[in-house]
Amino acid sequence: MTEMLLRYFRTKQKEAETEKVYDTQCPFCSMQCKMQLIEQSTVTRKKYKTVGKNNPTSEGRLCIKGLNAHQHAIHTDRLKHPLLKVDGEFVQISWAEAMGIIKEKFTSIQSQYGKNALSVYGSATITNEEAYLLGKFARVGLETKYIDYNGRLCMSAAASAAAQTFGMDRGFTNTIQEIPHSRCLVLAGTNIAECQPTIMPYFEKAKENGSFIIAIDPRETSTTKMADLHLKVKPGMDAALANGLLKVIIEEQLIDESFIHERVNGFTEVKEYVSSLDLDEVSELTGVPVNQIKKAATVFGREESGMIFTARGVEQQTDGSTAVRNFLNILLATGKIGKKYSGFGAVTGQGNGQGAREHGQKADQLPGYRSIENDEHRKYISGVWGINEKDLPRKGVSAFEMIQKMDEGEIKGLFLMCSNPVVSNPSAEFVKQAIEKLDFFVAVDMFISESARLADLILPTTSYLETPGTMTNVEGRVTLREASFPVRGEAKHDWQIICEVAEELGKGEYFSFSSPEEVFNELRIATRGGIADYSGITYDRLRKEKGILWPCPDENHSGTERLFETEFAHADKKAAMVVVSNTPAISKEKPTEDFPLYLTTGRVMSHYLTGVQTRKSSTLAAREFESYMEIHPSTAEKYQIKDNMLVKIESKRGSIVVRSKWSQTIRKDTVFVPFHWADSQNVNRLVSKKLDPTCKMPGFKVSAVKISPVAN
Ligand SMILES: Nc1nc2c(c(=O)[nH]1)N[C@H]1C(S)=C(S)[C@@H](COP(=O)(O)OP(=O)(O)OC[C@H]3O[C@@H](n4cnc5c(=O)[nH]c(N)nc54)[C@H](O)[C@@H]3O)O[C@H]1N2
Ligand SMILES: Nc1nc2c(c(=O)[nH]1)N[C@H]1C(S)=C(S)[C@@H](COP(=O)(O)OP(=O)(O)OC[C@H]3O[C@@H](n4cnc5c(=O)[nH]c(N)nc54)[C@H](O)[C@@H]3O)O[C@H]1N2
Ligand code: SF4
Ligand SMILES: [Mo]
């Protein structure tokens, strides 16, 4: 080697001086892939790279979002100081000043308008510890009944369906490792290939093993491409489709009579209802040919094992909870639940979509999946918290209903943690106006999101790289996210912020925690004896055992891999089938002469939710830098819309402008727009305020719209 080359390599070596490795978990979806951030520092600069780390769920895999998650976390837009809005501009203030303002505002609002004039809006992206604390903060710190969270827009339909049918709700009833061995897999309204990409190998292995895969989606996606049979359902018609499947299953005698007899209530009524239906009518309603309904039903009914997975395509409907129940009816009629390789999976969305729905952020819920209206549950939790039961508020209302109360003036103050409701809620313009009416609004975020922009005060928080805590993944497996990346600026962890605000309000004695583990140890006591029992789980165990599936009622219990093997969780130990009518209680929007097309909404691989984080990542933003409307070419031509052209989309609620993307594979009566962009590209400007009457889920997946080319 020449002297020059030697010198070159020596300087290179010197430059790559130190390397640090930080363990963490991906901040995005429910797979909660374990990963490591590698930081290489030279004197002049730092370089970052994310790599996967082995674990029982994602087995070391990462998708494009996980690989690039550090780009937003280290972005220079990260907030480092509390910001107060003065004359329409944000100015940096100290934490002491911020706390003083919160105390003054919260106290004056409550003394003028009563305790319930304050509200809390939480998230399923925060840790279990933080979700638990936020619920306690609302009830004990602020003494308000108004708390709910973004999971209402996400998992509420599936959660309510499982709770009503089985008596409890854990996303997957079986472990993920069973998927490759199941003989027939139904993927209803779920796009796992883009939304939980690292789960795909389980399904690919199933296919290699000869499993028959049925996809139900109005569009062709990377997920439906894997299927043996794709039922291209009309948006919003899943409940009717499930009735068609049930009808064939029952008439072809593909039911499990002894299972029904021993373990199920309500079968006779369902049988009676579906036998009154006409399959041609079901086909007409759903847009799925009769032969395809028959094929799907007979394969699922005949195979010895089978699983059904639902996600937001079925669930984000004004009949989402009953639509899911109808898929559960199929599992119960065929006896494909509580057995090896047979079961249900509500494919959880957010990173802690499972855990955050168990520990008291929901309007009607207390930790451990307890109910705030149940006397025994109230007594138990009041005891754990050291308060008087009569001081524990009763149930409040759902996320969107809280926003309606802001509009009506009943709610005057908002403490928002880790959500961007101005982009993610239906009728987005209405939501913005309602939030603007508040007397005082505090947002806790890492960035100035579209919602934080409306706040009076923004508190800077830490990211997944910096905040340790537990996250319960898609399987119901509690995992410990280690995180030790140095906190920059004056940002604080969400759990610290909650405790400090409580302290400022004179409630410090209930929030004297100095680490997430201390919070977790209280959460364990609070969940003991509840449905979601975490009491046997400890940080030490999580480190050693790489995650534990709840319920786990004592430290010698190994966790629960498969649910309902001998009994369901209802008092009589049976599961409940229910008649789901083809005509839902709340009628859905149908195309009309004025609004002739269905609009459905969803996701793309490279962006996450309202895009606040992924739009900050240069690699991810480059893959998909603006929104679009997927449309069939023959429909496009009818409306003079060329490929890649700006289009105005209008509903009764408002309008947006996005670019067209021709696709031969979407239904001709349907257009699709993702929801990761804001302002004039925010598809939620078009979605109606109607909610599922049971679980209060908005109908994100069906609107009637008209489209027109934008003249330039
Ligand atoms: N890349 C990426 N991954 C994510 C997220 C993200 O934002 N981006 N978000 C995470 C979160 S919080 C969630 S909740 C999950 C969501 O995960 P999914 O529910 O899988 O995602 P969506 O794209 O909302 O909807 C899934 C599919 O439903 C279809 N669909 C639309 N209308 C209907 C209908 O009426 N019936 C049926 N059967 N299907 C319909 C859509 O065409 C779409 O392909 O993803 C998680 N993972
Ligand atoms: N049209 C339509 N609308 C939908 C959906 C759809 O399919 N179609 N899906 C719905 C679903 S499933 C969901 S889950 C919702 C999600 O809706 P949102 O909850 O509004 O979505 P996010 O983009 O996750 O917002 C999170 C915010 O918190 C910040 N943040 C990230 N991590 C942290 C943290 O650790 N702490 C704090 N304090 N802040 C943090 C981010 O910067 C961001 O501003 O959207 C719903 N809206
Ligand atoms: S987005 Fe989901 S699948 Fe992708 S790396 Fe993150 S947790 Fe894993
Ligand atoms: Mo979600």
Side-chain angles (χ1 to χ4, degrees):
M1 209 180 280
T2 68
E3 183 60 26
M4 194 183 65
L5 277 180
L6 272 173
R7 258 194 4 243
Y8 168 80
F9 282 115
R10 249 183 247 131
T11 37
K12 270 282 150 198
Q13 232 167 6
K14 228 184 267 162
E15 263 185 49
E17 245 169 344
T18 49
E19 187 172 277
K20 284 191 186 149
V21 179
Y22 299 97
D23 280 327
T24 187
Q25 281 169 211
C26 176
F28 300 126
C29 86
S30 55
M31 288 301 285
Q32 278 307 291
C33 301
K34 287 218 178 256
M35 59 198 211
Q36 292 178 316
L37 180 75
I38 300 177
E39 178 188 78
Q40 290 175 323
S41 321
T42 66
V43 190
T44 47
R45 64 192 227 107
K46 285 182 162 66
K47 271 201 311 197
Y48 294 97
K49 189 168 79 181
T50 297
V51 296
K53 195 181 170 195
N54 197 23
N55 67 90
T57 309
S58 67
E59 303 174 317
R61 294 181 287 276
L62 289 182
C63 80
I64 185 85
K65 284 189 299 307
L67 283 169
N68 293 290
H70 59 271
Q71 290 183 347
H72 80 261
I74 60 170
H75 198 284
T76 48
D77 285 357
R78 276 284 301 275
L79 299 175
K80 297 196 184 74
H81 308 277
L83 298 174
L84 180 70
K85 197 183 272 160
V86 183
D87 293 333
E89 300 280 319
F90 282 113
V91 294
Q92 183 181 323
I93 58 168
S94 70
W95 276 101
E97 286 166 325
M99 290 297 165
I101 293 164
I102 293 177
K103 181 179 181 174
E104 197 223 297
K105 286 299 203 176
F106 278 6
T107 316
S108 80
I109 287 175
Q110 286 191 317
S111 57
Q112 206 177 336
Y113 303 105
K115 298 282 187 200
N116 293 324
L118 291 183
S119 62
V120 176
Y121 191 117
S123 173
T125 284
I126 54 180
T127 62
N128 286 316
E129 291 78 356
E130 291 162 346
Y132 168 77
L133 273 187
L134 199 63
K136 182 176 177 184
F137 171 71
R139 277 70 175 240
V140 179
L142 301 178
E143 298 168 90
T144 179
K145 65 177 174 182
Y146 287 132
I147 172 167
D148 210 54
Y149 78 126
N150 68 2
R152 185 67 69 169
L153 318 175
C154 179
M155 297 304 300
S156 63
S160 132
Q164 291 180 333
T165 306
F166 304 138
M168 73 182 265
D169 149 49
R170 189 184 85 185
F172 280 17
T173 57
N174 304 50
T175 64
I176 208 162
Q177 281 80 16
E178 291 186 40
I179 293 170
H181 310 287
S182 184
R183 298 295 307 156
C184 183
L185 297 161
V186 177
L187 292 163
T190 164
N191 185 6
I192 45 175
E194 298 202 58
C195 295
Q196 288 81 13
T198 58
I199 206 175
M200 283 296 275
Y202 293 102
F203 288 85
E204 284 154 3
K205 267 182 231 153
K207 230 177 130 72
E208 279 166 30
N209 293 342
S211 171
F212 190 87
I213 300 186
I214 301 166
I216 307 176
D217 196 308
R219 305 185 296 141
E220 186 175 296
T221 65
S222 312
T223 309
T224 65
K225 276 186 199 147
M226 164 181 73
D228 298 282
L229 179 61
H230 175 189
L231 312 181
K232 236 186 234 182
V233 68
K234 256 186 218 168
M237 298 316 292
D238 294 276
L241 179 58
N243 274 332
L245 297 170
L246 271 167
K247 181 179 172 70
V248 177
I249 284 168
I250 294 171
E251 285 174 3
E252 298 291 318
Q253 290 173 5
L254 302 170
I255 55 173
D256 184 337
E257 277 181 46
S258 66
F259 184 88
I260 294 169
H261 178 72
E262 284 158 31
R263 303 197 53 190
V264 178
N265 290 320
F267 174 75
T268 319
E269 292 79 0
V270 172
K271 179 179 174 181
E272 208 176 313
Y273 175 69
V274 297
S275 71
S276 75
L277 298 175
D278 179 80
L279 213 50
D280 289 317
E281 273 170 31
V282 171
S283 168
E284 178 66 35
L285 267 177
T286 60
V288 180
V290 169
N291 65 336
Q292 291 187 6
I293 298 176
K294 283 188 175 159
K295 171 85 183 173
T298 44
V299 176
F300 191 81
R302 284 215 179 106
E303 287 294 351
E304 75 192 86
S305 59
M307 291 180 169
I308 297 181
F309 296 86
T310 66
R312 308 309 87 76
V314 173
E315 300 161 16
Q316 288 175 328
Q317 308 277 358
T318 48
D319 69 341
S321 58
T322 43
V324 175
R325 287 200 76 175
N326 222 12
F327 282 102
L328 300 182
N329 281 341
I330 297 176
L331 287 177
L332 293 170
T334 55
K336 289 192 167 68
I337 178 92
K339 292 177 185 163
K340 217 172 174 179
Y341 314 144
S342 288
F344 174 56
V347 188
T348 296
Q350 297 170 83
N352 198 25
Q354 180 70 54
R357 70 179 191 262
E358 300 161 356
H359 303 305
Q361 282 190 96
K362 277 169 125 169
D364 59 352
Q365 191 203 53
L366 292 171
Y369 241 127
R370 287 187 166 87
S371 160
I372 205 161
E373 294 297 324
N374 175 306
D375 284 345
E376 242 174 76
H377 295 182
R378 292 173 62 81
K379 265 189 219 123
Y380 180 75
I381 295 297
S382 303
V384 176
W385 288 348
I387 61 166
N388 214 317
E389 191 246 86
K390 70 170 180 22
D391 295 332
L392 182 63
R394 295 242 158 212
K395 71 172 176 193
V397 297
S398 73
F400 188 73
E401 291 169 309
M402 288 204 306
I403 290 167
Q404 287 173 316
K405 290 193 181 293
M406 294 171 200
D407 177 59
E408 292 155 8
E410 186 182 332
I411 291 178
K412 303 280 186 193
L414 167 63
F415 186 84
L416 172 72
M417 181 168 268
C418 192
S419 183
N420 188 11
V422 170
V423 181
S424 54
N425 270 262
S427 295
E429 284 297 290
F430 161 79
V431 173
K432 182 161 179 263
Q433 285 160 24
I435 289 181
E436 279 170 342
K437 288 185 183 171
L438 290 167
D439 285 356
F440 186 58
F441 166 23
V442 189
V444 187
D445 206 303
M446 302 187 287
F447 296 107
I448 304 183
S449 69
E450 289 75 15
S451 300
R453 211 188 281 157
L454 305 180
D456 298 289
L457 180 63
I458 311 178
L459 303 178
T461 192
T462 52
S463 77
Y464 74 101
L465 285 174
E466 299 127 29
T467 319
T470 61
M471 307 282 284
T472 306
N473 77 8
V474 68
E475 294 179 271
R477 186 186 299 275
V478 185
T479 64
L480 177 60
R481 180 178 79 194
E482 309 276 8
S484 58
F485 195 71
V487 175
R488 285 181 309 169
E490 296 182 330
K492 293 184 186 207
H493 303 304
D494 289 314
W495 66 267
Q496 279 178 319
I497 295 173
I498 298 169
C499 294
E500 287 179 22
V501 175
E503 163 95 45
E504 190 69 32
L505 299 173
K507 296 291 172 71
E509 62 180 297
Y510 304 102
F511 295 86
S512 60
F513 300 100
S514 55
S515 71
E517 189 168 2
E518 275 181 27
V519 181
F520 189 74
N521 285 335
E522 186 178 293
L523 177 154
R524 293 173 56 206
I525 300 169
T527 64
R528 180 174 295 149
I531 287 176
D533 192 330
Y534 281 40
S535 59
I537 304 175
T538 64
Y539 271 35
D540 272 352
R541 283 192 67 186
L542 290 175
R543 285 197 180 100
K544 284 191 203 117
E545 297 168 43
K546 301 194 170 156
I548 296 170
L549 288 126
W550 69 259
C552 179
D554 68 70
E555 285 188 44
N556 299 316
H557 190 288
S558 60
T560 310
E561 298 211 324
R562 196 180 300 122
L563 298 175
F564 315 133
E565 286 186 288
T566 52
E567 57 188 46
F568 291 98
H570 284 305
D572 65 358
K573 308 197 186 320
K574 288 190 170 186
M577 285 180 78
V578 73
V579 173
V580 177
S581 166
N582 278 350
T583 329
I586 304 273
S587 64
K588 290 184 191 178
E589 245 176 27
K590 291 235 167 66
T592 58
E593 215 168 292
D594 291 340
F595 298 98
L597 292 168
Y598 286 111
L599 162 74
T600 192
T601 66
R603 294 158 166 81
V604 300
M605 168 79 126
S606 50
H607 282 287
Y608 189 70
L609 300 179
T610 67
V612 178
Q613 297 165 93
T614 47
R615 283 186 270 128
K616 293 251 157 43
S617 154
S618 50
T619 307
L620 297 174
R623 291 169 74 97
E624 211 83 63
F625 67 92
E626 62 176 354
S627 187
Y628 63 85
M629 174 189 76
E630 194 176 304
I631 185 168
H632 195 281
S634 68
T635 314
E637 272 164 7
K638 210 165 130 191
Y639 297 96
Q640 288 86 48
I641 288 166
K642 299 196 185 76
D643 193 14
N644 207 26
M645 173 185 208
L646 285 180
V647 189
K648 183 172 180 188
I649 314 177
E650 288 170 86
S651 77
K652 282 186 193 159
R653 274 72 55 183
S655 67
I656 60 169
V657 174
V658 296
R659 209 168 283 283
S660 63
K661 197 185 254 186
W662 282 18
S663 155
Q664 294 284 350
T665 55
I666 189 168
R667 288 180 60 89
K668 290 181 183 166
D669 56 5
T670 304
V671 297
F672 169 84
V673 179
F675 85 105
H676 312 294
W677 286 270
D679 305 317
S680 61
Q681 298 191 343
N682 181 357
V683 73
N684 277 325
R685 286 188 177 182
L686 309 180
V687 177
S688 102
K689 295 177 189 163
K690 282 188 190 172
L691 305 175
D692 179 316
T694 310
C695 62
K696 312 291 177 177
M697 169 71 86
F700 289 121
K701 293 297 196 255
V702 186
S703 309
V705 294
K706 65 176 160 197
I707 54 173
S708 52
V710 174
N712 43 8

